[in-house]
Amino acid sequence: MTVERQASADDWRARQIAEDAAQKAVEQTFRLLGIDLRDQGGVNALRDDLSYVRRQREARESLGAETRKGVIAGILQGAAWAVMGAITAMAGYFGIVPRGHP
């Protein structure tokens, strides 16, 4: 066997060992989580659970944005109410009656 063929065979063997070790590590990790990768039902259940978590996260993010919009709208509405109250009070103080008031 030539040196090049030996190096190629050694590379192939090292790659095979690495792939086997990675596959075993993944299987053990999922087994610790209670998921058998050889059981399609378990894989589908995991996929469904992850999809549910994604939908919950997106809904929470959307709700957070809507809440911020509501708080800002409330603050602006309160500020407008306070300004109108001040204008009305000043008009009454100076004897100016706003339109629509007797």
Side-chain angles (χ1 to χ4, degrees):
M1 188 179 277
T2 67
V3 174
E4 289 176 2
R5 288 179 85 187
Q6 179 64 36
S8 177
D10 290 345
D11 288 347
W12 179 86
R13 182 70 181 136
R15 200 169 331 152
Q16 195 64 33
I17 290 170
E19 287 176 10
D20 291 344
Q23 180 67 29
K24 187 174 182 180
V26 168
E27 287 176 3
Q28 287 177 346
T29 300
F30 279 99
R31 192 173 309 121
L32 286 172
L33 295 172
I35 299 161
D36 184 6
L37 294 177
R38 290 170 284 195
D39 175 24
Q40 191 61 36
V43 173
N44 289 339
L46 174 63
R47 186 177 297 120
D48 291 343
D49 289 346
L50 292 174
S51 177
Y52 174 79
V53 170
R54 176 183 293 128
R55 285 192 311 272
Q56 289 296 316
R57 179 185 48 80
E58 290 171 350
R60 185 194 51 179
E61 289 171 353
S62 175
L63 181 62
E66 294 301 318
T67 301
R68 282 190 297 275
K69 288 178 189 175
V71 167
I72 290 169
I75 290 170
L76 291 174
Q77 195 171 23
W81 179 79
V83 168
M84 288 304 296
I87 291 171
T88 304
M90 287 174 35
Y93 179 77
F94 290 112
I96 303 169
V97 179
R99 258 188 234 165
H101 291 281

